[in-house]
């Protein structure tokens, strides 16, 4: 039995243990993605997780929580900012192929990886964009065109909000998974006013193998974001909103 076959068996076993059920096509595509990521990770450090079990827990389960809690509308457009190796945006598309996803990532080796994967399996509605969010967010092709903008493990909350809010259209959402409960709702008040967004909800969820809750911060885009934002990287870090 080949290494790929053994890993596929392990993949199915871990899905069963976690009571995860997916359409066969989505399940197979996610395995292909995890397998390619594991192989590439031997040469390029694309993710800190190095086993199928870890990828299921910290990539797939995390993304499934996002999808199940937020109930993405059919044929949505999503922008995933700082997508890394394609998480959560690429996994969202593998589970929901009706959703078009822009994967914004500035590190070329990461873009090369998911670009190669996307082309190999012809996922034409998943579109990599290699540049900084601070640049792409001012491009009219992407600015305020998405139903949902998201980012995982990108920066502190107000900085992440500045980097994502301009991608969401008015009436859309910015959905930010966070691993901390120490953030108060009032901490984002100033950023919300400046960026034209409003916190709708903060929803706790869990991930297998982690003994602390995670949170989804869901913001609604209530007006256009000023053309000033997002600012240049230095200002975003030195002068957070």
């Amino acid at each position: 039995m080949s290494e790929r076959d053994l890993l596929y068996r392990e993949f199915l076993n871990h899905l069963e243990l976690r009571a995860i059920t997916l359409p066969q096509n989505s399940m197979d595509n996610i395995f292909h993605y995890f397998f390619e990521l594991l192989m590439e990770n031997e040469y390029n450090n694309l993710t800190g997780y190095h086993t199928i079990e870890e990828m299921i827990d910290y990539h797939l389960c995390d993304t499934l929580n996002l999808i199940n809690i937020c109930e993405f509308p059919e044929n949505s457009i999503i922008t995933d900012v700082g997508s890394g190796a394609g998480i959560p945006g690429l996994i969202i598309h593998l589970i929901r192929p009706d959703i078009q996803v822009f994967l914004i990532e500035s590190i070329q080796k990461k873009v090369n990886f998911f670009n190669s994967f996307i082309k190999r399996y012809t996922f034409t509605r998943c579109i990599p964009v290699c540049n900084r969010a601070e640049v792409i967010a001012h491009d009219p092709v992407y600015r305020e065109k998405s139903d949902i903008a998201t980012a995982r493990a990108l920066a502190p909350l107000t900085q992440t909000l500045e980097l994502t809010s301009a991608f969401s259209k008015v009436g859309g959402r910015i959905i930010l998974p966070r691993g901390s409960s120490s953030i108060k709702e009032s901490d984002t008040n100033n950023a919300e006013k400046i960026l034209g967004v409003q916190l709708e909800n903060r929803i706790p969820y869990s991930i297998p193998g982690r003994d602390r809750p995670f949170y989804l911060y869901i913001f609604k885009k209530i007006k256009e974001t000023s053309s000033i934002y997002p600012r240049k990287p230095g200002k975003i870090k030195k002068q957070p909103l």
Side-chain angles (χ1 to χ4, degrees):
M1 187 176 289
S2 69
E3 180 181 9
R4 192 184 191 104
D5 290 338
L6 288 170
L7 283 171
Y8 185 64
R9 180 176 290 182
E10 181 183 350
F11 174 73
L12 294 178
N13 182 53
H14 286 305
L15 291 185
E16 184 177 357
L17 288 172
R18 288 155 183 75
I20 296 172
T21 57
L22 293 166
Q24 186 68 46
N25 190 51
S26 294
M27 186 167 62
D28 288 345
N29 286 335
I30 290 167
F31 171 74
H32 295 325
Y33 169 58
F34 284 168
F35 179 80
E36 299 286 348
L37 187 53
L38 283 170
M39 296 302 102
E40 185 66 23
N41 225 34
E42 294 181 2
Y43 306 97
N44 289 304
N45 185 27
L46 301 183
T47 174
Y49 302 115
H50 301 276
T51 68
I52 285 288
E53 182 177 10
E54 288 178 328
M55 289 185 178
I56 288 173
D57 286 348
Y58 306 130
H59 292 337
L60 178 57
C61 289
D62 202 21
T63 304
L64 281 170
N65 276 305
L66 195 153
I67 291 173
N68 293 335
I69 292 170
C70 299
E71 299 181 350
F72 297 157
E74 190 174 354
N75 297 313
S76 299
I77 298 174
I78 294 178
T79 298
D80 177 17
V81 180
S83 190
I87 303 150
L90 181 51
I91 297 179
I92 290 172
H93 181 69
L94 298 181
I95 296 170
R96 288 281 306 277
D98 61 294
I99 292 176
Q100 179 173 315
V101 180
F102 294 107
L103 303 170
I104 312 296
E105 174 54 51
S106 62
I107 298 175
Q108 188 67 58
K109 69 176 181 179
K110 295 182 178 181
V111 175
N112 289 344
F113 164 72
F114 54 66
N115 213 359
S116 173
F117 175 80
I118 287 164
K119 287 181 178 179
R120 183 178 301 122
Y121 294 96
T122 62
F123 298 119
T124 58
R125 290 176 61 79
C126 205
I127 302 165
V129 183
C130 187
N131 211 325
R132 296 188 68 94
E134 299 93 324
V135 175
I136 295 299
H138 291 281
D139 187 330
V141 172
Y142 306 101
R143 189 176 181 87
E144 299 191 325
K145 294 296 193 296
S146 292
D147 300 289
I148 295 166
T150 189
R152 191 180 82 157
L154 183 61
L157 184 56
T158 57
Q159 294 178 36
T160 301
L161 196 56
E162 180 170 352
L163 290 167
T164 53
S165 60
F167 289 102
S168 175
K169 64 186 181 183
V170 176
R173 300 289 188 279
I174 300 98
I175 300 172
L176 305 178
R178 310 296 299 181
S180 173
S181 61
S182 62
I183 303 164
K184 300 175 183 177
E185 292 188 10
S186 59
D187 291 345
T188 62
N189 283 351
N190 190 52
E192 291 175 55
K193 291 175 184 176
I194 291 172
L195 299 170
V197 304
Q198 184 176 67
L199 181 63
E200 278 193 325
N201 214 338
R202 188 188 77 151
I203 302 173
Y205 68 96
S206 60
I207 295 176
R210 296 291 176 93
D211 58 0
R212 58 186 172 87
F214 290 72
Y215 293 84
L216 280 180
Y217 284 78
I218 302 174
F219 298 85
K220 183 176 182 179
K221 185 73 169 284
I222 57 175
K223 65 178 181 180
E224 290 184 3
T225 300
S226 167
S227 61
I228 298 170
Y229 301 99
R231 299 164 293 166
K232 292 182 179 180
K235 279 204 168 184
I236 292 175
K237 290 182 179 180
K238 292 178 182 177
Q239 301 174 14
L241 299 177

